[in-house]
Amino acid sequence: MAGFAMGGPVGALFGAAMGHAADEGNLNGFSFAGRPLPFDGARAAAMLGRRDQIFAVGVTVLAAKLAKCDGPVGRVEIDAFRRSFAIPEGSVAEVGRLFDSARESAAGFESYAVQLGQAFSDSPGILEQVLGGLYQIARADGPVNAAEADFLSRVAHGFGLDLDAAQRAARGGAMAPPPVEDSYAVLGLKPQATKEEIRARWKTLMRENHPDTLAAKGVPAEAVKKASDRVARINAAYDTIKRERKL
């Protein structure tokens, strides 16, 4: 209840996690009234069963631990997190507290990646976007180093993304799309793909990324907006291939 009063759904999750920890008598981790308290956001989100909360907690923890994995967290990484994952103004304070707690150590991130992957296993396009946002954070303070590359690879594995999806996320996180996109790369296909493979892949991507479908599943509004942009790219790529190959 206190968490909800502090800041809506994310605050409620924060409060639920503290209450659950208090019930167990294990108050080690978060700082509250001068004393540390724990925050097991993944377990709390699963307990509450809200995909939007699982998304908010998972993304925040992964971003914080990624920023920490190669040393002290810098301002540029925090700013990159806020750019990559738009945070509702009413939840900034609670997300900030969670981020600050999570960045104390890079350890334990894989359980969050796995849970996020399980919660959105029917929407791999969303997971690919999240991974792309994490790449933007990794590149905020320079090229991706070995520690960050290992972290991101393990997150992709936890998400259940295949190699092609992980590579697309890496490219998408590196820079804006070029003026003329490689249409086959957008669809995750090779130029030698048959017309049947092309059409099947297009249908799959549209099903996974359609904004109306994602909104009905409880995907956060910002992720739905990004999905709309991705659908536009998918359709543009498919139209280009159809014209080139007279499909």
Side-chain angles (χ1 to χ4, degrees):
M1 292 285 289
F4 189 83
M6 290 166 59
V10 175
L13 182 56
F14 175 78
M18 289 197 300
H20 184 67
D23 288 342
E24 291 188 347
N26 178 23
L27 302 179
N28 295 306
F30 246 94
S31 176
F32 180 71
R35 296 185 62 188
L37 293 172
F39 189 85
D40 187 344
R43 180 175 59 185
M47 178 179 65
L48 296 177
R50 287 287 301 276
R51 295 214 319 172
D52 56 345
Q53 293 173 340
I54 293 173
F55 185 90
V57 171
V59 165
T60 302
V61 171
L62 289 175
K65 291 185 178 297
L66 169 63
K68 178 65 176 177
C69 76
D70 62 342
V73 178
R75 185 73 225 177
V76 291
E77 293 167 311
I78 296 173
D79 290 343
F81 166 57
R82 296 192 65 173
R83 286 194 306 271
S84 299
F85 303 101
I87 302 168
E89 286 300 319
S91 296
V92 167
E94 284 64 49
V95 170
R97 291 187 182 95
L98 172 55
F99 187 97
D100 287 343
S101 178
R103 72 176 181 173
E104 290 298 318
S105 168
F109 70 91
E110 287 173 297
S111 63
Y112 291 88
V114 169
Q115 183 172 18
L116 203 56
Q118 292 173 345
F120 292 90
S121 61
D122 57 349
S123 304
I126 293 297
L127 297 171
E128 188 175 321
Q129 290 173 23
V130 171
L131 186 61
L134 293 175
Y135 267 99
Q136 292 183 29
I137 296 171
R139 288 189 171 93
D141 59 350
V144 176
N145 58 40
E148 292 169 329
D150 179 65
F151 184 106
L152 292 164
S153 175
R154 290 158 69 184
V155 167
H157 179 74
F159 282 177
L161 295 175
D162 60 26
L163 180 59
D164 287 341
Q167 290 177 340
R168 285 195 302 272
R171 290 195 297 269
M175 61 189 73
V180 179
E181 292 186 321
D182 181 341
S183 298
Y184 289 95
V186 170
L187 298 183
L189 294 170
K190 297 185 182 299
Q192 299 79 20
T194 67
K195 64 180 182 181
E196 290 79 11
E197 290 172 334
I198 293 168
R199 182 165 179 77
R201 178 62 178 166
W202 172 73
K203 286 184 174 181
T204 297
L205 290 174
M206 291 298 293
R207 184 170 60 252
E208 293 175 351
N209 293 277
H210 197 284
D212 292 343
T213 302
L214 297 177
K217 293 176 179 177
V219 173
E222 181 63 23
V224 172
K225 180 180 181 300
K226 289 183 178 180
S228 299
D229 297 337
R230 179 160 170 74
V231 163
R233 293 176 61 206
I234 291 167
N235 280 328
Y238 183 55
D239 288 342
T240 297
I241 293 173
K242 286 196 300 182
R243 287 195 303 270
E244 290 176 349
R245 296 180 60 161
K246 298 180 173 57
L247 300 179

